[in-house]
Amino acid sequence: MQLGLIGLGKMGGNMAERLRRDGHEVVGYDRNPASDRNVDSLEALAGALSAPRVVWVMVPSGEPTRATVASLGEVLEAGDIIIDGGNSRYTDDQAHAAELSGKGIRYLDVGVSGGVWGLTEGYALMVGGDADTVAVAQPIFDSLKPAGEGGFVHAGAVGAGHFTKMVHNGIEYGIMQAYGEGYELMKAVDLVADPDAVMASWAEGTVIRSWLLDLLILATKADPGLAQVRPYAQDSGEGRWTIEAAIENAVPLPVITAALFARFASRQTDSAAMKVVAALRNQFGGHAMGQEGSSAPVPVS
Amino acid sequence: MQLGLIGLGKMGGNMAERLRRDGHEVVGYDRNPASDRNVDSLEALAGALSAPRVVWVMVPSGEPTRATVASLGEVLEAGDIIIDGGNSRYTDDQAHAAELSGKGIRYLDVGVSGGVWGLTEGYALMVGGDADTVAVAQPIFDSLKPAGEGGFVHAGAVGAGHFTKMVHNGIEYGIMQAYGEGYELMKAVDLVADPDAVMASWAEGTVIRSWLLDLLILATKADPGLAQVRPYAQDSGEGRWTIEAAIENAVPLPVITAALFARFASRQTDSAAMKVVAALRNQFGGHAMGQEGSSAPVPVS
Amino acid sequence: MQLGLIGLGKMGGNMAERLRRDGHEVVGYDRNPASDRNVDSLEALAGALSAPRVVWVMVPSGEPTRATVASLGEVLEAGDIIIDGGNSRYTDDQAHAAELSGKGIRYLDVGVSGGVWGLTEGYALMVGGDADTVAVAQPIFDSLKPAGEGGFVHAGAVGAGHFTKMVHNGIEYGIMQAYGEGYELMKAVDLVADPDAVMASWAEGTVIRSWLLDLLILATKADPGLAQVRPYAQDSGEGRWTIEAAIENAVPLPVITAALFARFASRQTDSAAMKVVAALRNQFGGHAMGQEGSSAPVPVS
Amino acid sequence: MQLGLIGLGKMGGNMAERLRRDGHEVVGYDRNPASDRNVDSLEALAGALSAPRVVWVMVPSGEPTRATVASLGEVLEAGDIIIDGGNSRYTDDQAHAAELSGKGIRYLDVGVSGGVWGLTEGYALMVGGDADTVAVAQPIFDSLKPAGEGGFVHAGAVGAGHFTKMVHNGIEYGIMQAYGEGYELMKAVDLVADPDAVMASWAEGTVIRSWLLDLLILATKADPGLAQVRPYAQDSGEGRWTIEAAIENAVPLPVITAALFARFASRQTDSAAMKVVAALRNQFGGHAMGQEGSSAPVPVS
């Protein structure tokens, strides 16, 4: 089928290629003139597509997506469909759908997982919106998703696609941190000769084998002991939103939250909290101050 | 090769079968006369094996394993090899090896992962001991492990096998809890139509696909919404030991520990800690007492 | 000085009494006709006060406070001052001040701590707003605050009063949970003969003596072992907001968040997360299901 | 009464002074000849005391205390009493009491809180042992404890003194971290003009007023913003033991454990766990690496 695609960066470009390989007509637009765009404006994009148009937005979440959806609302017409395939917050979807419904423009939100591996392995898709609208875009989803039974779900009404992708990412935070903690403990003891080799062995037959473990093994093969990696981890927003959604619903998320906080702490250079702890120890005990790099307990004198 | 195997329960019995299928001669012993044992005492087991004997112990960890190893030490002789394949604490291995070395008996510890699936898929093995001893038993390891590159590692000196299996299980705690938290959050909101279907879709193409996720999907297919499962989770010891080892080495394990504590809390019926919190709220604020099942915040009047 | 006071419940009524004892003229209004109100409408309240009027709002946070501030905005005039002394979120303050500034009405937000003990001991006040406006209301603050150096702070611009009160409450969550955990551990061992007596002894000379500990000792004296308290703890909103503010600023709050999550978990009757963990254990290990009330580890058979 | 006191360091010296001010005869010994010792050997100490002797050991916990108690066991006789007032683990006490009971020597363990402030304010004492033995030493306890009702408890059998002091310290970890987290959050926002001033105001009238808060205010007055404090916090052992005891008894301690782990993390310079997280992000997303000091989320490109 025919699809307009806005955003031809790493993710959007790969998705366009996967769709074209499968016989779809993709009309691409990117605000960057140096991209492989087929048209040079949103108006031209609308003009190049037959109604009802289906336009997939694949730009950074937050303000760029909001601005793109708003602009699209100006050039599309009743019956057309906007699909936000970026990493938007589900609350943005609900606002977008409400705004566009006044014009009769339909809206879907799609959480996409797969990263740089999606081109060849397929993208897992979590879709939010009404069933009729999902049905229109189904050929696109079928081409993007991996072969096999899984990899696609109509998760619920508008917002459900990004909500479930957000939860997916929250789980991902927890799993990554779990592997990290285990690896660190193995590195901390002389008893384990080569933590990289142990992890590599876990790829088969264990309870904890996973795609993330496979990636971690690749990483340690390329960089033994992860010696070249700096111990600072960013977070991309979904982890924060997951916890906010949990708080709103009184759901305890101790593991996912601990994983996010470990990332926050990893980037700190001068924690005020730990200064308080150190200062208090000094106040009541006349203790020597702590120092970086020590691991043994320091008995009170 | 020839192997003595003590403990013919679910794990031991399956392992014996997998070894025999691969051409090994397994002489089995179990203290239970109703088992498929080949001999009826440890002495008979020693008599049935050619020196240097290799005897695999597969009995519950703790006292049963310690007693079995001690008894074996009485009936074996210098040059023989005892392999503890159970879930012992690595500190037990170090004690066993030290005791047995006086008699010239060699010792290996093997962490085994795979559970009920190991018979057909193979068992992942993490081995501790000296390289010469490992080499003697290598044919056994080769038959037990899964096909493929992974699934076996000589992790280090005596204790390293159970230490790395312990870390494996600690990681497992974190991963299981991460999936659980995400599932609970999806169930808590109306927006997600069917959390089971979302999880099933994650099996392919996502960043969080894993063997544990596959098992969870099986569980939800057999019991939609996990309606028949009671929300109490046991712990088997390795999680506790992982945290103790981390504390000894000043390694922070926030995720693995949160997962263990969630299990502890799941089994509590009358938490004294939460009574303190409830009692304090009442003292300083004259608040109404909390109640089971509520999720909205209760503003201070 | 003269003060209008809206909301004559437990907190508002006590504050009116403390102010009158100190010579202030308090004109009280409550929408409940059965209250000790002096006037029966906001219009009458405005009419009873001399300009520039100072009106303190002491009603439940959220919609009730927002509605009251909006209505006050209709009956007050330029130069008048509205003080929100409730438990509003600091973002509400910033919205209120922006709305009212168009009419020239000034705004202060005050976080108030002290609960039922404030009438006699004084209320700790954290104030947000500009310095000139704070100066006008200072006689009121001086009468409400405790004797001594502390108990009052001009914390910053509008919102800073409720922000710092919110942080105060977040800290309170952490401290309460810390005492709770310690108490529970003492109750879990036979070695400690009477945990109540130990806590009572901590009131003097220890590093952890505090007002909350004093309250806890009162609670255990009234109800030994807290036998009559149900182990469910509500949360009043500020804890949730504290974590949301921390996430927004990438500040790790492991202790405060763990305390909030413990409250969430205390009110759950059927945790989906723990069902996942229990179901997974059963899948890979053929384990017996967990059960409520057990504390020993369950070895894998 | 007459007391032998071993260990005349900061704590021991101050305690000797407090006891002498109250009329007790303290015979002091320290292995350091430069100390104010009254005798120059344990034999001389035993010779200088009338039977039944009471000897208080106040030396670093672990090996120094174990060695001192063992040596004392050689020079004392049946009916004498050894009191370990250091920071020993409660399991050491149980071993000491068992060893000494064969010789008829009695044993008490005392957890002492108060630090450098104890000389003037008194020391809080938590005592383990049998009631008859406690009664013999009661005059000493009465002089060391603060004036007032609290500050002393006979907590249970041998070990209960150090167990409850250990729990006290665990609680202390949680409280310190709670203040630290709140302070850090206030420092992270521009809205709060001066976090030091807010904390100072909390000393009176608030729910969270405490002795630790008073100390923290002292610390910020001496060093505004804690600018001179390095953000590394040691731990002295009791926090670790608290968590180990909790794990043994299946008691969840999320707050106390989070506080200990925050200290561990504060001293790390190169966290392997965070390297894993950073490496994985790079593997699946082609993300830019994280960097120290950043706080905003980094959207996936």
Side-chain angles (χ1 to χ4, degrees), chain A residues 192-213:
Chain A
V192 179
D194 180 0
D196 291 12
V198 176
M199 282 212 312
S201 83
W202 288 343
E204 288 175 76
T206 66
V207 172
I208 62 171
R209 61 192 191 262
S210 71
W211 191 65
L212 277 165
L213 179 62

Side-chain angles (χ1 to χ4, degrees), chain C:
Chain C
M1 61 178 276
Q2 192 189 48
L3 180 78
L5 177 59
I6 301 173
L8 301 172
K10 187 160 46 182
M11 279 294 281
N14 280 350
M15 291 169 74
E17 184 172 341
R18 186 170 169 96
L19 287 169
R20 285 175 178 139
R21 286 181 188 172
D22 220 28
H24 297 287
E25 178 196 353
V26 179
V27 182
Y29 169 72
D30 192 294
R31 62 177 188 171
N32 179 0
S35 67
D36 287 334
R37 69 188 189 185
N38 306 103
V39 293
D40 61 4
S41 71
L42 291 183
E43 291 75 8
L45 180 72
L49 299 170
S50 315
R53 300 169 189 83
V54 181
V55 183
W56 185 294
V57 179
M58 204 68 196
V59 304
S61 62
E63 197 42 41
T65 291
R66 284 191 291 266
T68 302
V69 170
S71 301
L72 266 182
E74 302 300 317
V75 300
L76 298 186
E77 27 179 47
D80 291 348
I81 298 173
I82 297 175
I83 301 174
D84 177 8
N87 288 302
S88 299
R89 192 168 179 157
Y90 67 98
T91 45
D92 278 0
D93 298 314
Q94 293 165 330
H96 289 156
E99 281 162 31
L100 295 168
S101 70
K103 301 177 178 173
I105 300 174
R106 296 179 283 175
Y107 184 88
L108 297 176
D109 59 287
V110 183
V112 178
S113 184
V116 293
W117 305 75
L119 172 60
T120 50
E121 301 201 10
Y123 300 90
L125 306 174
M126 292 140 257
V127 180
D130 70 71
D132 289 348
T133 311
V134 172
V136 176
Q138 192 70 48
I140 297 298
F141 301 145
D142 288 344
S143 295
L144 287 174
K145 74 180 276 298
E149 275 185 51
F152 173 85
V153 68
H154 177 198
V158 165
H162 282 135
F163 188 93
T164 52
K165 174 56 164 46
M166 173 194 83
V167 172
H168 164 283
N169 283 33
I171 294 170
E172 180 187 305
Y173 277 54
I175 296 176
M176 288 163 74
Q177 181 72 19
Y179 286 120
E181 292 178 7
Y183 184 65
E184 181 166 319
L185 180 53
M186 291 194 294
K187 290 196 89 163
V189 297
D190 290 335
L191 183 57
V192 179
D194 178 1
D196 291 11
V198 176
M199 282 211 314
S201 84
W202 287 344
E204 286 174 79
T206 67
V207 172
I208 62 171
R209 62 192 191 260
S210 71
W211 191 65
L212 278 165
L213 179 61
D214 292 342
L215 291 185
L216 183 51
I217 294 167
L218 286 181
T220 53
K221 286 193 171 151
D223 175 18
L226 301 178
Q228 306 306 318
V229 182
R230 295 168 64 215
Y232 312 124
Q234 294 303 343
D235 70 284
S236 60
E238 285 93 346
R240 302 184 187 205
W241 303 337
T242 302
I243 295 163
E244 287 168 356
I247 286 176
E248 192 181 331
N249 290 283
V251 171
L253 295 191
V255 156
I256 294 174
T257 306
L260 179 66
F261 286 168
R263 294 190 184 191
F264 286 172
S266 79
R267 306 195 305 256
Q268 293 190 314
T269 52
D270 198 34
S271 161
M274 299 324 295
K275 286 180 165 220
V276 163
V277 173
L280 279 172
R281 274 177 57 83
N282 195 47
Q283 279 289 326
F284 65 72
H287 296 291
M289 291 294 182
Q291 62 189 81
E292 221 180 2
S294 65
S295 69
V298 175
V300 175
S301 63

Side-chain angles (χ1 to χ4, degrees), chain A residues 99-169:
Chain A
E99 281 162 32
L100 295 167
S101 70
K103 301 176 178 174
I105 300 174
R106 295 179 285 174
Y107 185 88
L108 298 176
D109 58 289
V110 184
V112 178
S113 184
V116 294
W117 304 76
L119 173 59
T120 51
E121 302 201 10
Y123 299 91
L125 307 174
M126 292 139 257
V127 181
D130 70 71
D132 289 348
T133 311
V134 172
V136 175
Q138 192 70 48
I140 296 299
F141 301 145
D142 288 343
S143 294
L144 287 174
K145 74 179 275 298
E149 275 185 51
F152 173 84
V153 68
H154 178 198
V158 165
H162 283 134
F163 187 93
T164 53
K165 174 56 165 44
M166 172 194 83
V167 172
H168 164 282
N169 283 32

Side-chain angles (χ1 to χ4, degrees), chain A residues 160-267:
Chain A
H162 283 134
F163 187 93
T164 53
K165 174 56 165 44
M166 172 194 83
V167 172
H168 164 282
N169 283 32
I171 294 171
E172 181 187 305
Y173 277 55
I175 296 176
M176 289 164 73
Q177 181 71 20
Y179 285 121
E181 291 178 8
Y183 185 65
E184 180 165 319
L185 180 53
M186 290 194 294
K187 290 196 87 163
V189 297
D190 290 334
L191 182 59
V192 179
D194 180 0
D196 291 12
V198 176
M199 282 212 312
S201 83
W202 288 343
E204 288 175 76
T206 66
V207 172
I208 62 171
R209 61 192 191 262
S210 71
W211 191 65
L212 277 165
L213 179 62
D214 292 343
L215 292 185
L216 184 51
I217 294 166
L218 286 180
T220 54
K221 285 193 171 151
D223 175 17
L226 300 179
Q228 306 305 319
V229 182
R230 296 167 64 215
Y232 312 126
Q234 294 303 344
D235 70 285
S236 61
E238 284 94 346
R240 302 184 187 205
W241 303 335
T242 303
I243 295 162
E244 288 167 356
I247 286 176
E248 193 181 330
N249 291 283
V251 171
L253 295 190
V255 156
I256 294 174
T257 306
L260 178 65
F261 286 168
R263 294 190 184 191
F264 285 172
S266 79
R267 306 195 305 257

Side-chain angles (χ1 to χ4, degrees), chain A residues 68-91:
Chain A
T68 302
V69 170
S71 300
L72 266 180
E74 301 300 318
V75 301
L76 298 185
E77 29 181 44
D80 291 348
I81 298 174
I82 297 175
I83 302 174
D84 176 9
N87 288 302
S88 299
R89 190 168 181 159
Y90 67 99
T91 46

